[in-house]
Structure formats: structure tokens, C-alpha cells
Amino acid sequence: MTETPFYCFIGNSFGIPYETINAPLRMHRVCPLGYANAKEDPCHKITADEAKKMMEEGGVTVVDVRTAEEYEQKHIPGAILVPNESIKEGQPEALPDLDAVLLIHCRTGVRSKQASDKLASLGYRHIYDFGGIVDWPYETESGAAN
């Protein structure tokens, strides 16, 4: 099977020498934050319906990456609060298992994408971004995070 070359135009922000920026790269997939040579991209975009089905099947961790104030107003029952702004260089204390299946959401989908990328860069392997709670047609509740 012949692989089609991909072209990389990401600049030098990831430490790629300038002379290779426009060179064809052989890779299976491109994942943000340096997963160009990964056989499987840990980041997956899914719908609210798919997320709900996964929740019903069990074995997932629902992660709300909005602020504590937003979470308190309305959140998905059982969701863990891990604000996007708190995800930095170290593994979040609330997410100890790198192999856990994480269902990530925010308000509209922007922060969930950012958080998914950051979690992938920290080594999490099963990240499912289902966008924003504004598109969540299922049950929600109010109250502070535990």
C-alpha cells in the first residue's frame, strides 16, 4: 500500500527545523501537539448522542472543563470538574489514570478541544470530545463540584 505524503505547514513552534517544514511527511494521522507518527490518535470528536451512549454503557469519566461558576449553574450528573485553564504541564490530580476513557466537554466546544489536545500531550490515550453543554439535550443538574 502506497502512502500519500502529507505536507506540514505548522511553522517552527513544535521544534521542526525550517528546512523540513514544507517537506512531505510520511504519517498515518496528524494529531495536534506532536502525534504525527502515532499509529492511533488519542483524540476523537463525537456527538452528544454518542457520548450519552458511552455513558450508559459505563466505564467512562465525564470531564467538564468549564469554570467552577459555570459548572455550578448547570452540569452533567457525575461530571468531574477540571477547568481547561488548570490543565498545564502536570497530570491533573482528578484524572490519575492515563488509560481512562475521558468524555470531555465545555460550553460550546472550544475549550473542550483545547483541553483534549493538552490531555493528549500529557499522555492520556482515550479522549472523546463531545463539544459543548449548549448542545447537550439530556439531563443536567446544578450545584458545586464535590
Side-chain angles (χ1 to χ4, degrees):
M1 180 174 166
T2 304
E3 290 184 42
T4 303
F6 289 87
Y7 290 88
C8 179
F9 297 102
I10 59 175
N12 204 23
S13 61
F14 291 99
I16 297 172
Y18 284 109
E19 59 273 7
T20 64
I21 289 175
N22 292 318
L25 300 174
R26 306 270 184 232
M27 63 183 104
H28 299 283
R29 290 183 170 181
V30 175
C31 178
L33 302 178
Y35 284 90
N37 295 318
K39 292 197 189 259
E40 186 176 334
D41 183 343
C43 308
H44 308 277
K45 181 69 177 155
I46 61 172
T47 66
D49 292 336
E50 291 169 318
K52 177 67 170 167
K53 184 177 180 189
M54 291 174 74
M55 288 176 204
E56 289 170 349
E57 292 171 356
V60 300
T61 302
V62 181
V63 183
D64 190 324
V65 298
R66 298 174 301 150
T67 65
E69 294 78 22
E70 290 172 298
Y71 181 95
E72 190 172 330
Q73 291 172 2
K74 176 172 123 173
H75 60 269
I76 296 170
I80 296 171
L81 177 64
V82 181
N84 180 44
E85 295 76 19
S86 73
I87 303 171
K88 300 194 191 270
E89 294 176 14
Q91 186 176 340
E93 191 174 306
L95 303 173
D97 185 2
L98 294 175
D99 285 316
V101 176
L102 305 177
L103 301 181
I104 312 293
H105 75 282
C106 62
R107 189 177 72 80
T108 62
V110 174
R111 288 175 286 177
S112 63
K113 171 71 170 114
Q114 294 169 350
S116 294
D117 292 347
K118 289 193 270 185
L119 291 169
S121 74
L122 292 172
Y124 291 88
R125 296 173 190 85
H126 309 285
I127 304 163
Y128 295 84
D129 174 1
F130 65 98
I133 200 165
V134 297
D135 297 320
W136 182 254
Y138 306 104
E139 179 185 2
T140 60
E141 62 186 17
S142 303
N146 295 329

